[in-house]
Structures are given as C-alpha cells and as structure tokens.
Amino acid sequence: MERDSHQDGAVQSVDTYDPPSETILPADTLATSLSLLGNHTFPDLLEGNSVAVEKEKSADLHLSDVTPKEQGLNEEISSNQVKKLETAKTENSECQSNESSQPEDRETEDGDMDNDRSDSGEFVVTMLAKAKLEEQGIGVKGRSSPLLEAGTQESPAFMSHRDEDVTADSWRKHRKHVFVLSEAGKPIYSRYGSEEALSSTMGVMMALVSFVQSGDNIIRSVYSEEHTMVFLQKGPLVLVCVSSSRQSEQQLRGELLYVYYQIISMLTQASISRIFEHKKNYDLRRLLAGSEKILDGLLNLVDSDPSFLLAAVHCLPLASSLRDTLSQILQKAITPNLVFSILIAKNQLLTIVQEKTVIEDTRLEPADVHLLLNLIGASSAFQAGEIWTPICLPLFNPDCYFYAYISYLDPPECTVCLLLLSTDKEAFYAVAECKRKIEEAMVAQNSLSLIAKAQSYSVSQVGVSDLRHFMYKPFDVPDNYRQLTQFTSPEMEAPYSSDEEKMRLLDLYRYMHSRIHSTSRPLKLIYHVAERETLLAWVTSKFELYTCFSPLVTKACAITAITKLLRWIKKEEDRLFIRYPPKYSTTPNPSKSSRIFLNPLLTLVGLDRH
Amino acid sequence: MEDNLPAVPGGAQRHSVTLTRPVQTLRVKMVLLGSSGVGKSSLALRFSKNELRSTSPTVGCAYLTSVVHLSDVTLRFEIWDTAGQEKYHSVTPLYYRGAHAALLVYDISKRETFIRAQLWLKELEKQYIPGSTVIWLVGNKCDLDQDRQVSVQDGLGLANERGLFFTETSALSGDQVNELLLAIAHRVYECIGVQQGGLSEWQEMPLVNVHHRHTFNPFASCCKVGP
C-alpha cells in the first residue's frame, strides 16, 4: 500500500442537491443496443417485452430520493447511442493498463454533473471539508488498497473494531467507513473505532450538513481523489459513508439506507422520532447497545453479498418438489395472527409462506428479508433456544413491530432456521406450537437430510466454457409480479476462490451496476474488457444480467454464451427460484388482531381488511 | 399466556422418556432479569443444558426449558431469558408477567449492575402479587472475586431487607448453578405449588398426531430435554 503523495488534492468537488438544476439534468436514454448484439440471437423469452418500467423502479431499492431517471425503453437505436456505447467500451479497455484494475472512468459524466449541480456554496464547503477532514484524519490522506483490506485485514481486526486507534493510519485506510449521528451531532455508530473517540469528527460532519442546510440545500456527497463521502439524512439521523471502494454515490447511499433500515428494524421509525422530538441531544447508543454487532454484520454482508447491490434475495436451489413439500408443511402449521413463515438454510431462503391478505396489499421487500437474514446470521444467541423478539420490517411498515419467533430446527449444527412472524405479542406459545408441528412434519418427511444435501450450483452446470460467473435477476417471476424479487448466481469458483478475488469480482460487478444504473447516463448494455476477465452486463425490461467471462472471449462468443445461459436458466428456473409462493389465511377474527397490535397503524397496510 | 394451554390430567405420563415415575409434572415459569452482560444467558444455558458458550447479546427473549425432579414432583422450568439491553425494556413485562420465579441477576464485579437489579426489583414489585413469585437475587461471576465491587454482605443485606433469596454463582465455572436451580425448585414448590391453582400441570404435545407419535421423538428438540 503506497502512500499517496497528493495529500492536498483533497476535496475535488462537492455535490449538493439542488432541486431546480436536478430536474434539468437530461435523462440520457440509451436504449438497449440490441443491434450490437443482434436481437435475433436471443431466445423467445426476451421477446414481447412490453411489461413496463415500473418494475425496474420498484426493484430499485426504494432510493426514492435518488432514483435514477428511468430510461425510456425505447428500442430504436440511433447511431449516436451505439457510438456512446463503444466509447464506453474503449474507455474500459483503456483501464486494462491500470495497475489497480479498479474501474476508473468517472471523468466525463462526473464533470457534467458537477457543473450542473454545485452552487456557490461549493468553495466554502470544499475548504471547510478539506481543512477539517485533514485535521481529523478522515479519508483524505493515504491511499488504501480496497481489495487487500476487505479480504485479509478484515477478519483479524473484526474483534477489536471498537478499540481501534482512530488516529492510526490503519484506521484511515479502511475501505469503507460508516458513521451514524444524530442531528445534534451526537455519535450513534461508527463501523471502526469507538464513537467517543470520533465525536469531534462527527461534529465536523454535522457542521457540513448544517452549513449546507442553512442555505436551503442538502449536502449529498463530497468527492476527493481517493474517497467518496456520501451523506444521507433520515429523520433525526444523519448517516455518512466515507469510501475508497470506487462505488457510485448512488450505491453507497443505498448501503447507508440499509444501515438506517437496520436501526429502524430494532427501534421503529416512530419511536426514534418520538425520542428526538422529546430530547434533541438524546444518546441513541443507549438503545442500540448490544446491537453494534448486527450493524457490523450488515456492513460486512453489504460488502460481500451481491443481494444488497441487486436488491433481490438469493434462494437456495432446491428441487421444486422438495420446496413445495416444505411450503406445504409451513402452510399447515398456522395460528391466528401469523403473517409470515420463513425457512432459511445456510443463510439463504428455502421458502416463504405469507398470510393471504398481506400479500394482496403489499409484498415483502427484499430489503426486509435481508435485514432478517442479517439479524439471524449476526447473532449466535439464537442457537441457545427459542427466541421471541419484537422486530420491525421497515419497508413493510416502519412504525410498528412484528413478533418474531426464531428457532433452529437442527441443533447443534444450526443451519436450518425457522422464522415465524406474528402480529400478536402474546402468541409465543401458539407460535412455538407451530414450530413443533413443522418439526414433526419435517422429521416424518425426512426433510432435514434432504435440505442438508441442497447446495448452490457450479457455473460448469451451465455448460458454457468461457463463462466464469453470472448474476441473473428476473423482473417478472411468472404469474405474480408482486412477489419477492429474487436473483440467482452460481458459487464463486476459481479464479474467484480467495476472498480478495471474490471482492475484486464483486467490485467489477458493482462498477457494471453503477454504469447500468447511472443517473446521468444509464446504459442498457456494457461489454467491458477488464484486466483479467471480460464482463457483459445487460438490462432489459425482463431481467438484469451480469456475466463474467474469461479474458479471451470474443464478443460473438459472449453473445452465444448468454443465449445459452438464458436458455439454461429458463430450463432450471423451477429449481433456482421460489416460483409459486403459497399463502395461508390466519386472520379469522380481524377485529381481534387489530386490538392486539402494538400500534394500530399496521391495520393501514391491510392486515385486517377482509 | 398460561391459560392458553389446557391441563389434561395424566397427559404427562403418556409419551415421556424422562417420566418413568408416575409423578406429576408442573410448569414453572421463571424469568431472568438484569443488566446487559451480567450472564443471564450463560446461566440459562447452564440451567438448561449445563453448557457454556460465549454468547452474543440476547435479541428479545430466549426461551429454554429445564426439568428438575424433586422427591414427589417433577418441575418443568420454562426459562425466559430476557435481553438486558435497554431497547427491549418496554417489552420485558411481557416476559415476566405471571412468572413463578424471577431471578434478578447482577455481576459482582460491576457495581452498577447491582443498582440496576434493584430497579428491576421495583419494577417487579409493581406487578406481582406477594406470595405468587419467588424472587431470587443472584450475584453472578463470583469467579471474578479479585475484581469484586459488590460484597456478599451487600447482596445478603439487600435480600434480607426486601425478603428475597440470595445466591452467588458462577456460570463460567458452574459453581452453585445446579444448587441454585434445585433451591428455586424447592422454594417454588413449597411456596406456590401447594396453593390452589398455583402451578398448572404440564403435558407434552397436546396436539401430537397419534400416528406420528412412534416415529417422532418430541425430545429430539434440544430445548425440551431436562438435565
């Protein structure tokens, strides 16, 4: 890790949110350049894609404030667009020579954006940021090597995050810092180092936020040579990410949003607002004590699991007959006010069964599932017994609690976990009884040993020699588009078997994703020749696909490979996805359930509408 | 909560491996209260499985069971191991309501946890009907004698003053843990068990399907087997 000599090249631009100019930004509609690939080479499932843009939107992590201008699905291709695409390609090829193999091509778009968005406050903010951040040692010095860090240094350091010396170089070199503070500037959470030691740093962050706010504006990000600093204000909380990962601002903001949601899932939005209305300088750490591990775990997952990037859930591939059997078992073990029954193995979904009336009005969002999975993964406490805990699903309803029953079905291995969500806080014994029934039925059908055999698949099963890895996220899982957004992806195998290499591939995917979802110039298709592999990302109205090929693949080869891959997925989709999530009805007495609710607000989302 | 499960006389003997003697099995609801990190979960794990594991902070509340055989009765402890974290305090009454035994746990090496235990006591006293709950003050981590901040006298003094029982334990070494559970069992049975309607009878799996009973061993679940 060589030290960067341009310490003073610090803050290059400050990107503030300015409503009027924002709307001026042209939504660059770069339509699917099918001509480049040749439309005719794709199988039937791609045709007739009249299903509209909304789905893409809804799949977009609910970044309501930063949702990219949705590109019109305009199939005609102007020569200009093709040219742009090729520009993108050459640009990318150029970075082959770049040692770091990090995607580097912000130049053009960013330049435009800066001109459009920054205002007269920029200079002051820049100076302030530069001065204070340097003084605090945040982010502006020291070139970190993101890849090394995430892979090797992370795990040993994990135990002592809180004790880290925040003035040390190693602290500055972390790939991604996340801070949460209250509007009064009180520290709430820091990914590395203790919050106390960082209180002055967080004070400066709050000063930045307030300064821009005083000019009726909202600070969104600060760019320096090595770091991107992204701000997110949610109610009384301010979340800040300082990253050298080269992810897009939009992706980083999405990650901050996950952190916010995880906090909400423990405390609810309503109670956070109430607390801060009551006492502006309340120390929220009191309430989050003991939950730091859950936030740490979330941030590690966000870095290592593409589910968060894609805003989709990954389910364990399973013979559809077995999945159906499991669903039926869950479907039969019900009790009043039970709303979700979720079966998880190896931190992936096996099946999910929902209360009928719930799914009619809203659907379970991938982000809520991610939070639940993280909660289970981050806490070994669940392995001790049966857990009964209040939990909020922020995207379902940020203001009230569900009661979650969590128990492993296969102690002492603890790989298969049952999660039952009820709206009735008194229902523990009734819900625990459901678990007995499920356990009993699974023993009778020998399900546990069948689940134990289930595993992720190898990319070699697709039978395309140059294909190394892929991620496929369909937008229209058949019949019921209101169901959980899912994606499928094979195991990462050689050459992506080490943590470093995995992270490198994920970084490439993140780069492709940021290009596809760029706010200023969204792309439909990218063919990217990287240093050690070639990637192709493609988004249509029906799916989003990221593929990684060996470096010697030709464009024609890649196209043929994708055609094959899509056929294979089509053939295997019953195994790869939860296709027909079953439902049950457990609210025979709607008036009762509304009374039991901690917060009657939940009735608004339709649990009691019959 | 307890009312939801009907007590069927004689149900207990039917398919239980532990109950070879024709004795009654009574349900005892026991709750562990105290600050975060005093060792409630470790104690609960000792009670239930006599294991020691490094635990992460409890989320919500963990439910474990443990069976204690006394000379003329078997007590099935339903242990509610609550989270000490402040964010769960608003829901804790849910767990301690109707408890027959409440353990107020503190860490002898941390004075503030002892003070916190007294606050929990106040909280409990608001809710319980005298004579219906056996309250036990437990000074945990007595293996940390060298860092002791709460003396045995302090603990005893508080217990005498407020009419509590008192024990010092070490979930780490297992010292006094079984003794404590046995003592609680005796107390609960003496104080509450003899009262009319004090303890309800427990029956395993009231809803078990007759035809599955032979293939399915209800005790396969870790949480139900007594020591």
Side-chain angles (χ1 to χ4, degrees), chain A residues 330 333-338 340-341 385-389 403-409 418-422 424-441, chain B residues 1 4-5 27 61-65 76 78-80 202 204-208 216 218 221 223-224:
Chain A
L330 295 186
I334 52 171
T335 181
N337 299 315
L338 190 67
F340 290 111
S341 306
E386 295 155 83
I387 299 288
W388 184 243
T389 183
Y403 286 82
Y405 172 92
I406 303 166
S407 177
Y408 281 95
L409 298 176
L418 176 68
L419 175 65
L420 301 171
L421 287 172
S422 170
D424 178 2
K425 62 178 170 181
E426 308 276 357
F428 174 80
Y429 285 104
V431 174
E433 191 51 44
C434 292
K435 181 227 170 180
R436 314 262 176 276
K437 285 189 215 163
I438 290 166
E439 209 170 33
E440 185 193 341
Chain B
M1 258 188 260
N4 299 343
L5 292 178
R27 295 170 59 175
C61 186
Y63 175 87
L64 301 98
T65 58
R76 182 176 187 271
E78 296 176 351
I79 304 168
W80 291 85
W202 174 74
E204 173 67 30
M205 310 286 291
L207 298 168
V208 168
F216 170 60
S221 156
C223 310
K224 299 213 289 330

Side-chain angles (χ1 to χ4, degrees), chain A residues 286 291 380 384 386 388 429, chain B residues 49 61 63 78 86-87 95:
Chain A
R286 277 176 60 182
S291 309
S380 62
E386 295 155 83
W388 184 243
Y429 285 104
Chain B
K49 297 182 223 170
C61 186
Y63 175 87
E78 296 176 351
E86 196 175 322
K87 68 167 169 279
Y95 307 124

Side-chain angles (χ1 to χ4, degrees), chain A residues 461-481:
Chain A
Q461 288 179 31
V462 182
V464 178
S465 55
D466 283 322
L467 186 66
R468 287 180 175 180
H469 191 260
F470 67 90
M471 304 194 295
Y472 174 84
K473 169 178 150 183
F475 292 131
D476 59 338
V477 181
D479 294 325
N480 187 354
Y481 73 89

Side-chain angles (χ1 to χ4, degrees), chain A residues 335-337 355 585-593 610:
Chain A
T335 181
N337 299 315
E355 219 289 331
S585 179
T586 61
T587 38
N589 188 355
S591 58
K592 186 177 168 247
S593 62
H610 247 318

Side-chain angles (χ1 to χ4, degrees), chain A residues 437-463:
Chain A
K437 285 189 215 163
I438 290 166
E439 209 170 33
E440 185 193 341
M442 285 180 69
V443 169
Q445 311 219 22
N446 196 26
S447 312
L448 280 177
S449 60
L450 294 173
I451 293 171
K453 280 182 210 139
Q455 54 189 351
S456 202
Y457 56 96
S458 159
V459 71
S460 62
Q461 288 179 31
V462 182

Side-chain angles (χ1 to χ4, degrees), chain B residues 1 29 33 88-98 120 123 127:
Chain B
M1 258 188 260
K29 179 172 176 181
L33 300 169
Y88 293 115
H89 286 188
S90 56
V91 289
T92 313
L94 184 70
Y95 307 124
Y96 63 67
R97 206 182 321 128
W120 276 115
E123 195 61 38
Q127 302 264 340

Side-chain angles (χ1 to χ4, degrees), chain B residues 11-60:
Chain B
Q13 292 98 317
R14 244 191 308 175
H15 31 244
S16 158
V17 272
T18 52
L19 300 183
T20 46
R21 293 166 299 166
V23 291
Q24 265 192 317
T25 299
L26 300 177
R27 295 170 59 175
V28 178
K29 179 172 176 181
M30 178 162 89
V31 62
L32 283 90
L33 300 169
S35 310
S36 201
V38 296
K40 295 180 294 300
S41 299
S42 301
L43 272 178
L45 208 59
R46 279 277 183 205
F47 288 149
S48 162
K49 297 182 223 170
N50 199 21
E51 278 176 15
L52 181 72
R53 229 188 267 173
S54 65
T55 59
S56 43
T58 307
V59 173

